[in-house]
Amino acid sequence: DAGITQSPRHKVTETGTPVTLRCHQTENHRYMYWYRQDPGHGLRLIHYSYGVKDTDKGEVSDGYSVSRSKTEDFLLTLESATSSQTSVYFCAINQDRGDQETQYFGPGTRLLVL
Amino acid sequence: DAKTTQPPSMDCAEGRAANLPCNHSTISGNEYVYWYRQIHSQGPQYIIHGLKNNETNEMASLIITEDRKSSTLILPHATLRDTAVYYCIANAGGTSYGKLTFGQGTILTVHP
């Protein structure tokens, strides 16, 4: 499992409230990613990080911010949650497999915005 | 990432080989073919990847055509636990690696 945990695993919140999801890894991986998964859309990249304090936007970054103040934690914040952000959120890291790196995914966080 | 095309669904009998096709006719020379799967409600799981040669690991085999325009993932002895959505992805790796493009994949159902 590449030492990836996500918290919380489930959350229900109300529209307009801020929400922070945490991804934690224990193996000192440089690259970390946040995806969301919705029916009919597959997985879509929200933001990613290539080091401490180094982040960049993905395909669907509007309404989300991220922070990485230390290697092991990558935080995803919904500044003002909306119902359209109801989704399953997956964190991932890159792990070296010889000729290429591959991604390992966390168990996911199910977020419901009412 | 080059566009990939997969059948939306396939069935397989338990104990038989499951052969999952993927078309990637616009793949560029530096793009690898990756396969992931996602079992219901879990995070995607890496299976195998290859560039030109056929590859085999403890989970599956990957057969890539000589022109690299298509590939087949083979699960040699499918079990009920192999029921999942299987994703074929073409990606160049390196600094672009993280931006994986997951399409709709193939829903593989393994029957007793």
Side-chain angles (χ1 to χ4, degrees):
Chain A
D1 64 0
I4 307 170
T5 57
Q6 293 185 231
S7 58
R9 296 292 313 279
H10 302 270
K11 185 169 182 66
V12 180
T13 191
E14 293 186 350
T15 298
T17 60
V19 176
T20 295
L21 308 183
R22 180 186 185 225
C23 178
H24 180 77
Q25 54 121 339
T26 59
E27 299 181 356
N28 205 34
H29 298 289
R30 179 183 173 192
Y31 283 83
M32 299 183 74
Y33 309 87
W34 276 108
Y35 291 86
R36 61 177 289 175
Q37 186 171 34
D38 307 289
H41 289 279
L43 279 90
R44 293 180 290 175
L45 182 65
I46 306 171
H47 281 279
Y48 66 101
S49 169
Y50 45 96
V52 173
K53 298 186 179 178
D54 290 323
T55 65
D56 205 351
K57 296 179 180 180
E59 177 187 357
V60 289
S61 59
D62 288 348
Y64 300 95
S65 63
V66 289
S67 66
R68 192 159 178 211
S69 59
K70 47 186 178 178
T71 300
E72 57 265 36
D73 288 327
F74 191 31
L75 304 181
L76 177 71
T77 298
L78 289 64
E79 292 137 9
S80 178
T82 67
S83 58
S84 65
Q85 293 176 312
T86 291
S87 187
V88 181
Y89 292 85
F90 289 102
C91 173
I93 56 91
N94 270 11
Q95 189 167 66
D96 189 10
R97 288 188 73 96
D99 63 331
Q100 278 288 294
E101 292 184 327
T102 58
Q103 286 196 1
Y104 283 84
F105 288 78
T109 294
R110 294 182 178 276
L111 176 67
L112 174 61
V113 183
L114 299 175
Chain B
D1 296 359
K3 179 178 169 57
T4 61
T5 304
Q6 300 176 251
S9 64
M10 294 183 65
D11 290 336
C12 178
E14 188 177 20
R16 305 296 295 269
N19 298 287
L20 290 84
C22 179
N23 287 321
H24 31 78
S25 59
T26 61
I27 194 169
S28 59
N30 65 339
E31 286 184 308
Y32 285 71
V33 178
Y34 292 85
W35 283 84
Y36 284 76
R37 73 180 182 183
Q38 188 171 23
I39 297 170
H40 180 63
S41 78
Q42 298 180 20
Q45 176 190 23
Y46 165 82
I47 302 174
I48 198 167
H49 73 277
L51 183 62
K52 296 180 181 179
N53 300 323
N54 298 338
E55 302 288 344
T56 296
N57 64 19
E58 65 278 4
M59 290 182 67
S61 295
L62 174 61
I63 308 298
I64 303 174
T65 58
E66 191 170 345
D67 62 8
R68 298 205 336 117
K69 292 185 177 181
S70 66
S71 61
T72 300
L73 177 75
I74 301 172
L75 307 178
H77 304 287
T79 71
L80 299 178
R81 290 181 294 179
D82 291 322
T83 292
V85 181
Y86 287 77
Y87 298 98
C88 170
I89 301 168
N91 186 277
T95 56
S96 71
Y97 177 80
K99 302 174 186 177
L100 292 180
T101 302
F102 286 81
Q104 297 303 306
T106 296
I107 301 172
L108 174 68
T109 303
V110 181
H111 297 285

